[in-house]
Amino acid sequence: MSALVQDFSKAMSQAGSSQFQEVIRQELEYSMKVELDKILATAHSNEIEHTKKDLEGFKKLFHRFLQEKGPSVDWGKIQRPPEDSIQPYEKIKARGLPDNIASVLNKLVVVKLNGGLGTSMGCKGPKSLIGVRNENTFLDLTVQQIEHLNKSYNTDVPLVLMNSFNTDDDTKKILQKYSHSRVKIYTFNQSRYPRINKETLLPIAKDVSYSGENTECWYPPGHGDIYASFYNSGLLDNLIAEGKEYIFVSNIDNLGATVDLYILNHLMNPPNGKRCEFVMEVTNKTRADVKGGTLTQYENKLRLVEIAQVPKAHVDEFKSVSKFKIFNTNNLWIALSAIKRLQEKNAIDMEIIVNPKTLDGGLNVIQLETAVGAAIKSFENSLGINVPRSRFLPVKTTSDLLLVMSNLYSLNAGSLTMSEKREFPTVPLVKLGSSFTKVQDYLRRFESIPDMLELDHLTVSGDVTFGKNVSLKGTVIIIANHGDRIDIPAGALLENKIVSGNLRILDH
């Protein structure tokens, strides 16, 4: 079979006989079908329906994967988006709010992407259950924000969580604690797709189970799966029946992604009378964001282009801050009726992301994924809104966690806002070394979170600990070489300092 795959790759890379390509493609699809049927045959009666839907969805994705050749964009066709297709947030905000904002809010559903685990931060279980501020988790803050909206405006904005098979059980256990909050919470699961062997292009799973040694055989196929999963769950139809019209989708670890009434009003009451089906919040690139997906004009449609789709020769141009000034925050506002229409026509077109992985045993696999924002080109009357950077506050690492736990931000009704005491609105650049990667190690190394109001840049490397009430200002670099340890004493003020060598503080 491996030779067959090599033949296929070779045939795809040459413009050779299209007939030959087609024969190999059909053989690969047939082999895949046989394997998927074997897997389906192992399902219990209560698993058959949803397993069948998952495997059907995977089969479609695999079919498209075999059809596509090379980078999925023709670089020559990429243009800057027209001026009016990306509106500045200030212009949207300047319209103000109508008196009936409550009736507008009642048309909204908040959806959080909750499929990810906390493994990259050394935590077991869903990432949304990591404590980020005063013992509050990402999920706590989300519920507090929506509850505050519902109480302030006497509305009924529900929260929907898109879980994955990795996060569903743990999330559902935790949801009981919100049973008395003023937020209706719904969940649905994204699909479960089989990982495929990179050599044979066949699933590595032999049956439907995904516990024990089988956990590595399956994966959630990226957040582009939201459209099909939301539709298949029946929740989309239920919400439309309740009179809901738009979803606001964002990553649960983006603490800046709160409901914005001005954007919502722009959607519901458009100035030109023509409603947008899809709004993507973008923000200006900094040097840290050069790999972020950007909005372009492509064949007369707004299109999200990700770095993985760019031909190698143009990657540096793609990263250029001067040519592509904005990137996608993954805060999206989408019309429910449009999702239903496009899903029923099978007309949502998203580029396939081929994500290679090496499993613990050394086996190379690939997983086929899609991204939610890539569907922008399938919707009518799409719009980008260039929002302030404060709406993009993702917590991907403990360096990010340090920022959001610090006095740079104040917490009010679940929302973080930059402290008024900070004289300039930019966020300091923080790089914590590998000793801080895991949340429990990071927490052990800070007796209390330092005062960072006047910090510009912090780099910490090696075995370093911080005492209570430390103050960091300007640029601070602390490097403990291998075998050394640095204890920053309680109450220390470090301003524009480089600290290296050995500094032990011993109790006596």
Side-chain angles (χ1 to χ4, degrees), residues 115-131:
L117 293 167
T119 37
S120 63
M121 293 169 78
C123 294
K124 285 192 167 72
K127 187 173 181 184
S128 57
L129 306 185
I130 294 175

Side-chain angles (χ1 to χ4, degrees), residues 433-446:
S434 55
S435 310
F436 291 80
T437 302
K438 293 182 175 177
V439 173
Q440 71 240 44
D441 295 340
Y442 152 87
L443 291 171
R444 198 169 43 80
R445 291 178 177 278
F446 287 99

Side-chain angles (χ1 to χ4, degrees), residues 408-428:
L408 285 165
Y409 292 95
S410 53
L411 179 65
N412 182 18
S415 297
L416 288 180
T417 44
M418 178 77 72
S419 167
E420 290 173 0
K421 292 179 185 161
R422 179 147 175 103
E423 289 181 11
F424 31 96
T426 55
V427 179

